[in-house]
Amino acid sequence: MSKDFFSYAVGVGSKNAKGHWLEVFYPAPVLNPSEAEVSALTKDLAYNNGKQDIELDDAALNSLIANAEALGLKEQAIAYQALLGSTQPRVLCLLSEDNAAESTPEAYLKLHLLSHRLVKPHGTDLSGIFAVLPNVAWTNQGAIDLAELPSHQLAARAKGELLQVTSVDKFPKMADYVVPSGVRIAATSRVRLGAYIGEGTTIMHEGFCNFNAGTAGTSMIEGRISAGVFVGKGSDLGGGCSTMGTLSGGGNIIISVGEESLIGANAGTGIPLGDRCTIESGLYITSGTKVILIDENKQQAGTIKARELAGKSDLLFRRNSISGAIECLTNKTAIALNEELHAHN
């Protein structure tokens, strides 16, 4: 067994009629446990080291509970006890290493690690995740295999009920699995499982956060945080603004927004921003955008491509209202969010 064990968790989930996993809920995932802890916890199970998904019956769960209590893992023991007697399939997912996902339970564990704030975006290997996440119907009766959805809908109608389909997607909404402390999310359907939402963050109705993306905290999000994008503390994403993610044209460039920065309404960025940067409303900066540099004497100091300013702090991007040219000035004013608003999250 590797001395640097990555993660394990016990979960309960859903399968389709063929016995294939649709989704898994993990109440208490564990990151970087010791080798001794994993060995002691699984001593009564058929664990063969490495990465493994072990389906659990009540006998196996009772063994895990006893071992967890002996190890002093109170939170885990309580969570496992709640699963005793469940008619839903239960699983112990063990990941000795952090590499490409090979099963649905493994993919869901990694998404939980992000939303539980145990790892930050880009802090776990999510390669291969789309291949092992089934596309399912998310309903008021849980996850349903798409091929089985018509029969479920008919059965519900026959009983005078409505089977409500809220989305058809590989990713469920985060709040059905994890609600991090100290956050406000006005429309939970707009935050996917696998988002990292830092304490003090407010996500308004039109705000969106993809998986493997999120905020460090105390941010106001009224725009889009695309996959792979991480927003620093105190930054504000205005209404309708966008950040270019690795799944939407950003390629391999990791886009980030530093602390105390502002992306104005209907604006956007395709380059990483440093701290205390501002992009004025309606202006979208891409890596190839030609930018005129304005010096401290308000004189033009040359033209460069925006990619050369990537990650630099204290910049103000604006469009000259007369010439239409895009200009960059030193921004000496940090964006101060409403302290009273965030104090009452």
Side-chain angles (χ1 to χ4, degrees):
M1 185 182 300
S2 171
K3 293 186 179 298
D4 297 319
F5 204 91
F6 179 58
S7 180
Y8 74 83
V10 170
V12 59
S14 307
K15 290 185 175 184
N16 63 13
K18 296 180 180 179
H20 299 152
W21 286 102
L22 298 177
E23 53 84 38
V24 185
F25 169 73
Y26 295 108
V30 178
L31 179 68
N32 297 140
S34 67
E35 178 182 355
E37 178 180 318
V38 176
S39 296
L41 190 69
T42 60
K43 64 181 182 179
D44 304 316
L45 303 179
Y47 177 45
N48 301 317
N49 299 332
K51 299 201 301 183
Q52 191 174 344
D53 301 331
I54 302 175
E55 292 202 39
L56 304 170
D57 56 18
D58 277 358
L61 267 174
N62 276 314
S63 173
L64 286 173
I65 293 166
N67 294 340
E69 289 175 341
L71 289 166
L73 304 175
K74 184 177 180 180
E75 180 184 3
Q76 282 75 32
I78 292 173
Y80 304 165
Q81 287 173 344
L83 300 181
L84 285 171
S86 174
T87 58
Q88 293 296 109
R90 296 153 297 181
V91 63
L92 169 61
C93 182
L94 297 134
L95 306 181
S96 60
E97 300 177 80
D98 181 22
N99 49 29
E102 298 174 358
S103 71
T104 300
E106 178 182 346
Y108 268 84
L109 175 50
K110 290 191 171 190
L111 295 175
H112 276 74
L113 291 175
L114 283 156
S115 292
H116 275 282
R117 300 179 186 151
L118 294 175
V119 298
K120 291 183 177 179
H122 305 287
T124 181
D125 185 351
L126 295 178
S127 58
I129 195 170
F130 283 95
V132 297
L133 285 177
N135 195 30
V136 303
W138 301 99
T139 79
N140 58 326
Q141 295 181 15
I144 298 177
D145 186 288
L146 290 179
E148 300 167 9
L149 180 61
S151 63
H152 282 267
Q153 290 174 315
L154 179 58
R157 291 287 183 168
K159 293 186 289 185
E161 299 174 353
L162 172 64
L163 179 64
Q164 183 179 22
V165 179
T166 56
S167 69
V168 177
D169 196 3
K170 287 179 175 288
F171 294 82
K173 58 184 180 182
M174 182 189 73
D176 283 348
Y177 293 77
V178 184
V179 179
S181 62
V183 304
R184 294 172 57 205
I185 303 174
T188 57
S189 63
R190 298 182 64 83
V191 180
R192 277 173 148 184
L193 180 64
Y196 181 110
I197 309 300
E199 188 163 0
T201 297
T202 294
I203 301 180
M204 296 302 290
H205 297 79
E206 295 305 314
F208 170 82
C209 189
N210 212 333
F211 77 102
N212 199 32
T215 65
T218 59
S219 292
M220 174 64 72
I221 307 300
E222 298 181 89
R224 178 183 178 86
I225 304 178
S226 298
V229 177
F230 196 54
V231 178
K233 290 183 178 180
S235 288
D236 188 338
L237 270 59
C241 79
S242 179
T243 52
M244 187 180 292
T246 55
L247 300 180
S248 57
N252 294 322
I253 299 174
I254 297 176
I255 306 299
S256 60
V257 178
E259 297 184 355
E260 298 178 351
S261 292
L262 169 66
I263 301 179
N266 298 316
T269 183
I271 64 169
L273 298 178
D275 298 335
R276 300 172 301 280
C277 288
T278 299
I279 300 178
E280 76 166 14
S281 296
L283 176 61
Y284 203 116
I285 301 294
T286 65
S287 62
T289 298
K290 291 184 178 180
V291 179
I292 297 174
L293 300 178
I294 305 297
D295 64 21
E296 58 186 12
N297 297 315
K298 299 184 179 180
Q299 300 298 312
Q300 294 187 12
T303 301
I304 62 173
K305 289 187 176 180
R307 65 170 64 94
E308 297 180 54
L309 298 172
K312 297 186 183 298
S313 299
D314 298 300
L315 301 179
L316 167 62
F317 293 92
R318 72 182 186 189
R319 187 181 296 278
N320 188 296
S321 60
I322 297 176
S323 68
I326 297 173
E327 301 173 338
C328 179
L329 301 78
T330 299
N331 177 17
K332 297 297 185 181
T333 304
I335 302 303
L337 293 180
N338 188 320
E339 294 182 3
E340 181 180 357
L341 176 68
H342 288 292
H344 293 88
N345 270 323

